[in-house]
Amino acid sequence: MPELVYPPVITAAKTMFRVLDLRLTVEGSHHVPRTGGAVLASNHVSYLDFIFCGFGAHESRRLVRFMAKHEVFAHRISGPLMRGMKHIPVNRAAGAGSYNTAVDALRRGEVVGVFPEATISRSFTVKELKSGAARMAQAAEVPLLPVALWGTQRMWTKGRPKDLTRRHTPITILVGEPMNPADYPDANAMTAELKTRLTALVDRAQQEYPEKPAGPEDAWWQPAHLGGTAPTPAEAVELDRRGRRTATS
């Protein structure tokens, strides 16, 4: 079937990049295969990450089908767009269905995007990863590629007001080398290696980022271990726990 929705959405995103004069650094996009299935597994620091992770596959002319929570598909505006771009809804109460849909897409030669941390990292460091990305790559026998994003949190992240008109923001997109699922005995071993590689890429993106916080009030987007005021990983776990408890109370 022809792609009627995705191409104009990409055009709109690229127009946004130009209007906001975003300073994009993209490295490793050649790792995304030009044909065949692949899983892109990205860290998660912003509500905009799917846009920039997908852009990492643009050089290879691939359209990434992202797995996203089903609430996004139920929204009257985002829902038709998500369905039109053939993204994959995830119902956490019935995860097997979305997992099988993703594996089928991979076997058909699609590129599937996953955020294996499941939720945005408030500490801006890599959290513990779910094994779904590795399990899908192994089931479909396709490569798994780590993707590191940095700078996107300055535009819109959890617990901060969004700043979608922010101009001249540096955004880093690093695509790592493909991981062959045949090289790992099981999904847990592959997930552990994914976390190691993803952490190394994120660390590099943070160290090479061309801007530092302008002062103490601007240090919120920098992780604590680099002198920022973002929550530590332990504090972030507690904040997430409180958030879940509030949502279910």
Side-chain angles (χ1 to χ4, degrees), residues 47-48 154-157 159-166:
Y47 291 109
L48 304 176
R154 300 176 72 187
M155 299 181 72
W156 190 14
T157 193
R160 298 287 308 185
K162 57 182 147 183
D163 191 359
L164 299 180
T165 58
R166 179 185 175 84

Side-chain angles (χ1 to χ4, degrees), residues 27-42:
E27 292 185 20
S29 54
H30 63 280
H31 290 310
V32 180
R34 290 185 174 268
T35 60
V39 179
L40 300 186
S42 174

Side-chain angles (χ1 to χ4, degrees), residues 74-237:
H75 192 275
R76 63 185 182 85
I77 296 174
S78 63
L81 287 173
M82 296 294 282
R83 288 188 290 274
M85 289 185 280
K86 303 174 188 172
H87 294 315
I88 301 168
V90 176
N91 184 340
R92 290 186 179 137
S98 54
Y99 171 86
N100 292 333
T101 300
V103 171
D104 288 344
L106 291 167
R107 288 174 173 157
R108 291 196 308 271
E110 299 274 15
V111 177
V112 172
V114 181
F115 297 102
E117 295 168 284
T119 57
I120 287 174
S121 171
R122 297 174 187 262
S123 68
F124 305 136
T125 61
V126 179
K127 304 191 322 186
E128 289 303 311
L129 306 185
K130 308 290 186 184
S131 65
R135 288 189 290 112
M136 289 189 299
Q138 291 190 323
E141 299 180 334
V142 300
L144 172 63
L145 287 74
V147 180
L149 305 175
W150 191 246
T152 58
Q153 76 276 21
R154 300 176 72 187
M155 299 181 72
W156 190 14
T157 193
K158 187 178 288 186
R160 298 287 308 185
K162 57 182 147 183
D163 191 359
L164 299 180
T165 58
R166 179 185 175 84
R167 292 174 55 78
H168 318 303
T169 308
I171 303 290
T172 304
I173 305 166
L174 303 180
V175 183
E177 294 183 3
M179 300 169 61
N180 182 351
D183 293 339
Y184 300 90
D186 56 41
N188 289 333
M190 195 174 188
T191 301
E193 176 65 13
L194 172 63
K195 186 179 181 188
T196 297
R197 294 192 186 198
L198 199 51
T199 299
L201 284 173
V202 171
D203 285 348
R204 186 185 142 211
Q206 292 170 343
Q207 296 289 346
E208 296 178 359
Y209 193 68
E211 290 187 359
K212 302 297 181 191
E217 293 183 0
D218 188 44
W220 63 267
W221 58 268
Q222 191 82 310
H225 74 275
L226 292 178
T229 56
T232 66
E235 290 168 342
V237 168

